[in-house]
Amino acid sequence: MKSDMRLIMLGAPGVGKGTQAIKISGKFNIPKISTGDILRDAIKNNSSLGIKAKSFMDAGQLVPDDVVIGIVEEKLKGKDCISGWILDGFPRTLQQAQALDSMLQRITAGIGHVLFLDMEDEEIIKRLSGRRSCENCQHTYNTYFSLPKNEGVCDNCGGRLVQRNDDKEGTVRERFRVYKEKTEPLINYYSQQGLLQKIDASEGIEIVYNKICSGIQ
Ligand code: AP5
Ligand code: MG
């Protein structure tokens, strides 16, 4: 099975994974599976998944592996995933990466590219402090870099723009610590498999997007 359009976005909190994943999903007509968005939706709906995930997310900790692996496994079984997908925020631990490998082995598919967005921590923190998300559709804006047409209102759906609970300073620090401990080892994991594409994420959204597109086409 052709694996080019099975894509993984890898990178630190706030580096721009979600922003780019939406654009790539639209361009190549493949579903975007964002574990963070799925978990935030579950919290909003007060489902049992949301109740389980909330305390971990608010503390900047990872939700347990078995929970997120189960979510992704279900999504990847969907018909819409047959000709590709883009994973945003998964895998985030070695155990998740190995679980994904096993899922793909079962359907004799492989990963096309792991898009590693790379940038200095300090710049990322500025992106995170300015981020505002629509509480209805989760579309993301930024008070420094990409303002909505009307302040505090989503261009897409008219929803209210809010700051994410885990974008508070102390929680951001913890998310970075967890990223370095648990997720950074995946850079090596995928690089050794020849799948990693390192992309300088410090430039504007369109420049980063064009670099990603030329890398995967
Ligand atoms: P998740 O939602 O995945 O958060 P994250 O990895 O911390 O990443 P972010 O969503 O914060 O950042 P992003 O890289 O998507 O950046 P964005 O595009 O928004 O996870 C949240 C939590 O859920 C985790 O802490 C954990 O608890 C749990 N979780 C999720 N997945 C899990 C898993 N697999 N296992 C266990 N737990 C899991 O951009 C940031 C800002 O910058 C925006 O304002 C944007 O407009 C702006 N921006 C983006 N690109 C540019 C650019 N090029 N120039 C200028 N501004 C830009
Ligand atoms: Mg995101």
Side-chain angles (χ1 to χ4, degrees), residues 62-63 65 69 91-98 182-183 186:
L62 295 183
V63 173
D65 282 334
I69 289 168
R92 255 177 148 97
T93 64
L94 212 50
Q95 198 186 331
Q96 292 179 19
Q98 286 161 348
K182 304 267 174 65
T183 310
L186 297 186

Side-chain angles (χ1 to χ4, degrees), residues 31-180:
K32 170 183 83 84
I33 302 168
S34 163
T35 42
D37 286 352
I38 294 168
L39 293 167
R40 278 184 291 277
D41 264 341
I43 292 175
K44 201 171 82 186
N45 297 328
N46 217 11
S47 69
S48 60
L49 170 64
I51 292 163
K52 215 182 288 175
K54 187 173 177 6
S55 58
F56 293 103
M57 291 176 76
D58 284 351
Q61 300 287 328
L62 295 183
V63 173
D65 282 334
D66 56 335
V67 176
V68 269
I69 289 168
I71 296 174
V72 172
E73 191 153 26
E74 270 315 300
K75 289 278 174 195
L76 291 183
K77 282 182 192 157
K79 266 198 185 139
D80 59 336
C81 285
I82 287 172
S83 50
W85 34 255
I86 178 159
L87 288 172
D88 159 29
F90 182 97
R92 255 177 148 97
T93 64
L94 212 50
Q95 198 186 331
Q96 292 179 19
Q98 286 161 348
L100 178 64
D101 287 345
S102 314
M103 289 176 219
L104 295 178
Q105 255 164 25
R106 285 199 287 277
I107 56 166
T108 58
I111 295 162
H113 303 278
V114 177
L115 306 162
F116 167 48
L117 299 185
D118 187 34
M119 193 172 136
E120 295 284 328
D121 290 358
E122 261 145 60
E123 281 299 300
I124 303 184
I125 289 179
K126 184 166 181 190
R127 286 187 185 175
L128 281 177
S129 69
R131 173 165 61 188
R132 299 292 179 273
S133 314
C134 174
E135 62 179 359
N136 183 38
C137 73
Q138 302 213 23
H139 194 84
T140 300
Y141 300 86
N142 197 287
T143 55
Y144 302 109
F145 307 109
S146 50
L147 287 162
K149 289 194 189 85
N150 298 308
E151 198 185 326
V153 181
C154 178
D155 294 347
N156 277 358
C157 72
R160 196 165 65 108
L161 302 186
V162 293
Q163 185 163 34
R164 255 170 56 177
N165 250 355
D166 59 350
D167 280 350
K168 293 183 198 114
E169 201 191 318
T171 317
V172 165
R173 226 176 297 124
E174 180 60 7
R175 282 162 64 204
F176 270 86
R177 194 195 62 73
V178 170
Y179 170 75
K180 289 193 192 301

